[in-house]
Amino acid sequence: MALVTPRPPFRADHVGSLLRPPELKAAHDRAKRGEIDRAAARAVEDKCIRDVVAFQEAVGLQSITDGEFRRDWWHIDFLRGFDGVQTVTGATFGVHFQGADEQPPLMRVTGRIRRTRPSMLDHFKFLKSVTGRTPKFCMPSPAMLHARGDREALRQAYPDLSEFWADLTRAYRDEIRDLYQAGCRYLQIDDTTIAMMGDPKVQEQFRKLGDEPKKDTEMYAEAVNAAIRDVPDDMTVAIHTCRGNFMSTWLASGSYDFVAETAFTRLEVDAFFLEYDTDRAGGFEPLRFVPRGKKVVLGLISSKVPELEKKDDLKRRIEAAARFVPLENLCLSPQCGFSSTHHGNKITVDDQRRKLALALEVAQEVWGTS
């Protein structure tokens, strides 16, 4: 009989981005300076993606990504694939990454949002062609264009906010439809707003923009639901949320309590990847709002620091979370990617390997499978 691959998320999973190798960074830098053309840069990307796929398979992962090796920023590159979206040079979100000199830029809506061509469909097609395991595609939540966008430009382009969401989520549905037709059965929506809304400083920043954080959480959940509303039953959709991940720094602190009931009960996803690697995330009590049958991937392993977590500590925390979500519905992963941007976190490739291997070992010991 043929082996049946379990439906994702897997007991040991990962968020997606991986440390960029030096040759990839060099190729991207040379391309930006005009020293090599796009075809030459893409050849290096292809080679490095093949290598990182082999790395993930050798570690033992079932969920395979391209490491986001073709991107500079986890969210901006995808959204800029739509007409009407640009980057704002020198502008940043009101709350800053702690201890980082550089800050990610904002995005600007310059006109009606349209998907006149695929954004990253070719990224997935290549990934699928180089792995026999489950290829996972990660895309930013549509909420990011509102939460991390220039509000004044948005108001000028869309006096009626409902039209903005209609155009944006239509573009998402078109991209997801083509991903599905290309064979994608594991989709991850990346979103920082859910976790960040628990920070009073972030709440205050949204109020300064004229928003009400609770209402924004509802609006963002509905935007995600609109984006994935046509997803067929055999595609798993997970949402990942964290409090910022940029060169081993963080953007926000606070538990999920502020948003838990809205986010966990209203988001029509199959699984939640949740940041829980430090005390900044609070306790597991908000997990009581997770609907029965949905999976929770506990991000207990830090992608920010080289120190390896202790197995017994991870097992105790999994046991604590199982008071609120049945053990059979829990999984384990790092809290975020290892390189949400081209900069990478302040760890080594060997640290990355040991962290992923640890997730697999603990999953095998807790659930009997990884």
Side-chain angles (χ1 to χ4, degrees), residues 217-352:
T217 302
E218 296 173 1
M219 179 172 64
Y220 294 159
E222 291 309 312
V224 171
N225 291 343
I228 64 174
R229 74 182 187 198
D230 297 333
V231 166
D233 290 341
D234 62 339
M235 175 187 265
T236 295
V237 179
I239 192 163
H240 161 253
T241 187
C242 73
R243 293 158 182 80
N245 184 53
F246 178 56
M247 295 191 291
S248 289
T249 64
W250 48 274
L251 194 63
S253 296
S255 77
Y256 292 99
D257 291 274
F258 186 79
V259 298
E261 185 169 8
T262 297
F264 294 151
T265 63
R266 294 183 64 164
L267 279 163
E268 296 170 3
V269 296
D270 301 300
F272 299 91
F273 278 73
L274 302 178
E275 176 186 358
Y276 266 119
D277 62 320
T278 70
D279 292 342
R280 289 187 298 103
F284 295 123
E285 290 80 5
L287 298 183
R288 68 188 184 276
F289 291 110
V290 174
R292 190 175 188 84
K294 294 199 175 186
K295 298 288 185 66
V296 171
V297 185
L298 298 169
L300 302 178
I301 297 170
S302 176
S303 69
K304 298 180 188 293
V305 298
E307 291 78 16
L308 196 64
E309 289 77 6
K310 295 181 173 61
K311 282 187 182 181
D312 287 346
D313 291 343
L314 295 175
K315 290 176 183 178
R316 279 194 292 269
R317 299 201 69 201
I318 292 169
E319 184 179 358
R323 293 172 50 208
F324 304 98
V325 175
L327 183 63
E328 62 267 23
N329 290 339
L330 294 175
C331 305
L332 176 64
S333 77
Q335 98 291 348
C336 196
F338 293 90
S339 187
S340 298
T341 72
H342 63 90
H343 312 76
N345 283 346
K346 296 176 182 178
I347 61 172
T348 67
V349 172
D350 189 58
D351 295 331
Q352 177 179 256

Side-chain angles (χ1 to χ4, degrees), residues 14 17-18 64 105 109 173 177 201 258 288 330 348:
H14 68 125
S17 66
L18 297 162
I64 307 295
V109 176
R173 288 194 297 275
R177 179 202 62 224
K201 294 192 301 292
F258 186 79
R288 68 188 184 276
L330 294 175
T348 67

Side-chain angles (χ1 to χ4, degrees), residues 175-196:
E175 185 83 5
I176 293 169
R177 179 202 62 224
D178 286 354
L179 284 165
Y180 180 85
Q181 291 175 354
C184 181
R185 296 298 181 270
Y186 191 8
L187 178 69
Q188 180 178 294
I189 307 291
D190 291 318
D191 179 288
T192 62
T193 64
I194 295 169
M196 283 175 50

Side-chain angles (χ1 to χ4, degrees), residues 112-143:
R112 296 302 292 263
I113 297 169
R114 295 286 185 267
R115 180 185 181 266
T116 55
R117 63 196 179 283
S119 178
M120 291 186 174
L121 179 62
D122 59 331
H123 296 201
F124 176 78
K125 287 182 175 179
F126 182 82
L127 172 64
K128 189 173 187 299
S129 75
V130 295
T131 184
R133 299 188 186 175
T134 302
K136 176 166 73 169
F137 185 78
C138 306
M139 64 172 60
S141 165

Side-chain angles (χ1 to χ4, degrees), residues 75-130:
H75 55 320
I76 294 173
D77 297 60
F78 178 86
L79 286 161
R80 278 195 312 210
F82 300 144
D83 295 352
V85 181
Q86 295 180 2
T87 306
V88 186
T89 304
T92 62
F93 186 57
V95 179
H96 294 89
F97 280 92
Q98 304 297 311
D101 294 330
E102 185 179 353
Q103 298 291 325
L106 289 181
M107 292 167 284
R108 174 176 289 158
V109 176
T110 58
R112 296 302 292 263
I113 297 169
R114 295 286 185 267
R115 180 185 181 266
T116 55
R117 63 196 179 283
S119 178
M120 291 186 174
L121 179 62
D122 59 331
H123 296 201
F124 176 78
K125 287 182 175 179
F126 182 82
L127 172 64
K128 189 173 187 299
S129 75
V130 295

